[in-house]
């Protein structure tokens, strides 16, 4: 996927002017937050589970190589194949090769952010393999030629009327006079269309929410059941997952599952939690004959041992963006790559380079709401600040910001000079602003006064007045 | 002012210096209060003196360093932090009328000195003494009521750092409930950011404007006469937006109302 993060400011401007998008974002604000809060308060041990979840992943990350090997052995023992992909390109080629070996024309896909990360759909299409997204949200944006704007609700930016128009445009084999008023009619139409695709597909591709080292199992959580059909009906199942998805045991997965859905949608559990281990065995009535796992690194191993390692605990629940005022304002596409919101603001610079995505860790008020809801207790603001530090030390901070900061630092480090200068400045400003009490324009403060007035100082600094008062006493 | 021992006094390990008349407090004025709204500083002094503290204001203070810290300039932040720590050593408590600056002093100074054990120890000893003003009055001094009067309806915005770094939420509301004539009404989403974010609001003005616009809508919906908060940065942002929108609701720092110092114009308001 083409990265447009360098144009974040312009992307944001466009998003702010997009009225239907702004209406859709209103739903994010209302829907997810209340549901999560209810689910979290209903479970007394929720915060303890968050601690456990964090500890489990920290342990894995400290021994990632061992757990990956253990996992791979179990997959092979169950009759599956493991492929190691260092880069996105490696992963794409491996998957294409599997499709070619099976003479695949159509592949069905369960929802997977990793396949977005590696740009799989475009690549397969270029090589005469037709990918069909089976998650409703993903299906909608595939029809629209778009990318997800949210990691668990990919089409959250699209409204019902737009979906209806897309379905009428694409599903031309259906009666043009059909009624698509109700959201449920859209759902059943998509179901009907997709049902046929499951049977046509030669290969089914899914992501994984977890990979269990103890058993060689991949786990997906879904609400529509499309993931199960994607991985069970075609003859070949390909799991594409990044290396940090590993958890040691079934017990560990059970603990993390208890915080995942609650944080994401406020459900106790997703409707489907599906475990798959290797291909169909002789005793199984159904399942794929061939089972492949593609393990993607794509820059993650170089985050280990750095100040960004904690980010690898992320379980992609989406809570951070659901609670982010910046995400609420501009939506997911403005971030310009696969991962939006606070988690994207940390992850995108790690995976794509901070020179491409320098805006993202800067476009945060550091309100801290993301960290307060993150089930994995990832210190997101702190890590965004670490990116700012890297930018600053590499001179990537914009020059105007640097000079402004430099001047301010010069005074902040010299209290006597600072007080002498501010005493005069504030007395003057106070007198200028005295009548109205505010300025509607101010040189060098255009960023502020474009949209708001600047309250005038009362006049005379506290320090100056305090010194006078002490003197008089 | 009424005091009662808090049920579970936090930081009971912090000893009073034995100064006559109670603890010796160093007021960290904060740069915005120093420059824009000295009356918040005087209100803070009054509240603490009424509660029996001796308040001093070290001259060698400027700013907590957040603009540098949040711009990724760690070296300069460290230098500023070291001079703040030096200026406030020897006080029983360090109190700031801002959750954001108090959070910086209390939660972030220590992490600046990871590679310097001697400074780290000093930063740790410093950080346990640091409090935000309202939390200091209630949680440390056990103040449960103030003697002040304000006739009108107020709504309180929870500034982010105070709320999420320092757990300040019930304390200001409890004290405000004891102000004669004041009625408190809650806005929707009082815990949602106002879009200030320090340098964020000038680096990303379009986004900041969208966020503060949502905030002023929830403020206006309460029908209150007065907006209160514990951080001058957020207040200047919200008051500036309210003024630009032509709203009549006034904005003040919570300390002004608690101290009964409200004869000066509200934030962004002119002389009458
Ligand atoms: S960073 Fe935390 S809140 Fe955000 S998606 Fe990852 S796990 Fe969820």
């Amino acid at each position: 996927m083409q990265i447009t993060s360098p144009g974040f400011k312009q992307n944001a401007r466009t998003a702010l002017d997009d009225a239907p998008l702004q209406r859709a974002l209103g739903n994010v604000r209302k829907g997810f937050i209340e549901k999560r809060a209810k689910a979290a308060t209903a479970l007394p041990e929720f915060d303890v589970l968050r601690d456990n979840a964090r500890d489990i992943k920290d342990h894995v990350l400290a021994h990632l190589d061992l757990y990956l090997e253990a996992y791979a052995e179990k997959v092979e023992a169950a009759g599956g194949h493991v492929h190691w992909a260092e880069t996105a390109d490696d992963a794409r080629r491996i998957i294409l090769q599997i499709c070619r070996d099976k003479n695949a024309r159509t592949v069905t896909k369960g929802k997977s952010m990793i396949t977005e990360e590696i740009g799989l759909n475009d690549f397969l299409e270029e090589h005469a393999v037709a990918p069909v997204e089976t998650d409703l949200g993903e299906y909608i944006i595939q029809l629209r030629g778009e990318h997800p704007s949210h990691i668990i609700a990919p089409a959250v930016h699209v409204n019902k009327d737009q979906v209806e128009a897309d379905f009428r445009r694409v599903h031309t084999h259906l009666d043009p006079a059909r009624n698509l008023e109700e959201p449920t009619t859209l759902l059943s139409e998509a179901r009907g269309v997709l049902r046929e695709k499951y049977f046509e597909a030669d290969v089914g591709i899914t992501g994984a929410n977890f990979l269990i080292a103890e058993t060689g199992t991949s786990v997906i959580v879904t609400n529509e059941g499309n993931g199960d059909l994607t991985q069970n009906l075609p003859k070949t199942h390909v799991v594409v997952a990044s290396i940090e998805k590993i958890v040691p045991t079934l017990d560990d997965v059970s603990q993390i599952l208890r915080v995942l859905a609650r944080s994401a949608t406020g459900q106790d559990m997703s409707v489907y939690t599906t475990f798959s281990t290797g291909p169909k065995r002789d005793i199984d009535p159904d399942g794929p004959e061939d089972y492949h796992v593609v393990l993607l690194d794509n820059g993650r191993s170089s985050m280990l041992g750095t100040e960004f390692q904690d980010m690898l605990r992320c379980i992609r629940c989406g809570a951070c963006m659901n609670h982010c005022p910046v995400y609420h304002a501009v939506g997911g596409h403005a971030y310009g790559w696969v991962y939006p919101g606070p988690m994207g603001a940390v992850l995108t610079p790690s995976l794509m380079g901070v020179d491409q995505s320098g805006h993202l860790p800067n476009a945060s008020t550091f309100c801290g709401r993301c960290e307060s809801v993150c089930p994995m207790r990832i210190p997101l603001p702190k890590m965004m600040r670490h990116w700012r530090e890297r930018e600053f030390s590499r001179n990537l901070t914009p020059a105007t910001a640097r000079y402004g900061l430099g001047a301010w630092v010069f005074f902040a480090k010299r209290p006597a000079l600072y007080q002498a200068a501010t005493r005069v400045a504030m007395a003057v400003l106070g007198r200028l602003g005295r009548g109205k009490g505010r300025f509607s324009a101010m040189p060098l403060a255009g960023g502020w006064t474009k949209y708001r007035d600047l309250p005038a100082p009362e006049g005379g600094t506290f320090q100056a007045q305090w010194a006078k008062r002490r003197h008089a006493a | 002012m009424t005091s009662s021992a808090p049920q579970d006094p936090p930081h009971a390990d912090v000893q009073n210096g034995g100064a006559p008349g109670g603890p010796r407090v160093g007021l960290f004025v904060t740069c915005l209060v120093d420059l824009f709204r000295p009356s918040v500083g005087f209100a803070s002094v009054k509240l603490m003196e009424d509660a029996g503290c001796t308040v001093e204001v070290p001259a060698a203070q400027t700013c907590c360093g957040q603009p540098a810290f949040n711009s990724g300039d760690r070296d300069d932040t460290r230098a500023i932090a070291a001079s703040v720590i030096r200026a406030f050593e020897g006080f029983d408590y360090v109190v700031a009328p801002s959750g954001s600056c108090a959070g910086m002093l209390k939660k972030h100074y220590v992490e600046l000195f990871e590679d310097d054990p001697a400074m780290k120890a000093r930063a740790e000893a410093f950080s346990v003494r640091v409090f935000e003003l309202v939390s200091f009055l209630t949680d440390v001094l056990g103040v449960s009521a103030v003697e002040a009067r304000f006739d009108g309806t107020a709504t309180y915005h929870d500034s982010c750092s105070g709320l999420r770094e320092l757990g300040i939420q019930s304390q200001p509301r409890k004290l405000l409930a004891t102000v004669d004539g004041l009625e408190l009404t809650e806005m929707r989403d009082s815990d949602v950011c106002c879009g200030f974010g320090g340098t964020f609001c000038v680096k990303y003005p379009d986004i900041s404007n969208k966020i503060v616009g949502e905030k002023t809508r929830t403020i206006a919906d309460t029908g209150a006469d007065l907006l209160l908060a514990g951080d001058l940065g957020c207040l200047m942002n919200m008051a500036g937006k309210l003024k630009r929108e032509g709203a009549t609701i006034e904005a003040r720092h919570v300390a002004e109302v608690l101290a009964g110092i409200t004869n000066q114009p509200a934030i962004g308001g002119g002389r009458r």
Side-chain angles (χ1 to χ4, degrees), chain A residues 149-176:
Chain A
S149 67
H150 188 291
I151 60 173
I152 68 160
V156 74
H157 59 285
V158 184
N159 64 44
K160 205 204 116 259
D161 293 345
Q162 291 170 312
V163 177
E164 179 178 339
D166 291 325
F167 280 15
R168 290 195 189 281
R169 174 172 57 80
V170 179
H171 301 160
T172 43
H173 61 293
L174 298 174
D175 177 10

Side-chain angles (χ1 to χ4, degrees), chain A residues 13 27 33 108 112 114 138 155 163 177 265 296 352 355 368 399 403 414:
Chain A
R13 185 64 266 161
N27 300 334
I33 294 177
T108 42
S112 148
I114 294 296
E138 290 282 351
V163 177
T265 53
L296 176 72
M352 299 300 282
D355 28 1
Y403 291 139
R414 293 168 177 79

Side-chain angles (χ1 to χ4, degrees), chain A residues 9 13 22 359 367 385 388-389 408 412-413 419 435-437 440 449 451-453 458 460-463, chain B residues 31 34 36 38-39 59 62-63 69-70 74 76 164 193 201 203-204 206 208-210 237 240 244 268 270:
Chain A
K9 273 194 169 182
R13 185 64 266 161
Q22 289 297 325
H359 274 301
C367 79
R385 192 182 294 111
R388 297 184 192 184
E389 284 162 7
W408 172 87
K413 282 174 156 174
Q419 275 162 30
K436 231 174 120 199
S440 45
T449 53
Y451 295 113
R452 2 167 212 228
D453 290 351
E458 286 178 341
T461 64
F462 175 82
Q463 288 283 13
Chain B
C31 57
D34 183 38
F36 280 86
S39 40
T62 56
C63 166
F69 187 51
N70 289 340
R74 234 176 145 82
D76 283 317
R164 279 179 272 271
C193 182
C201 70
K203 278 193 294 186
Y204 300 95
D206 296 341
S208 174
N209 175 53
K210 168 77 183 166
N237 178 42
R244 182 62 60 91

Side-chain angles (χ1 to χ4, degrees), chain A residues 151 260 263 311 313-321 342-344 370-371 373-378 380:
Chain A
I151 60 173
L260 172 54
S263 301
M311 193 61 225
R313 293 204 296 263
C314 176
I315 53 173
R316 307 290 191 268
C317 72
C320 54
M321 58 199 74
M343 56 83 73
C370 51
E371 181 177 358
V373 296
C374 173
M376 306 307 287
R377 298 205 186 280
I378 299 173
L380 293 153

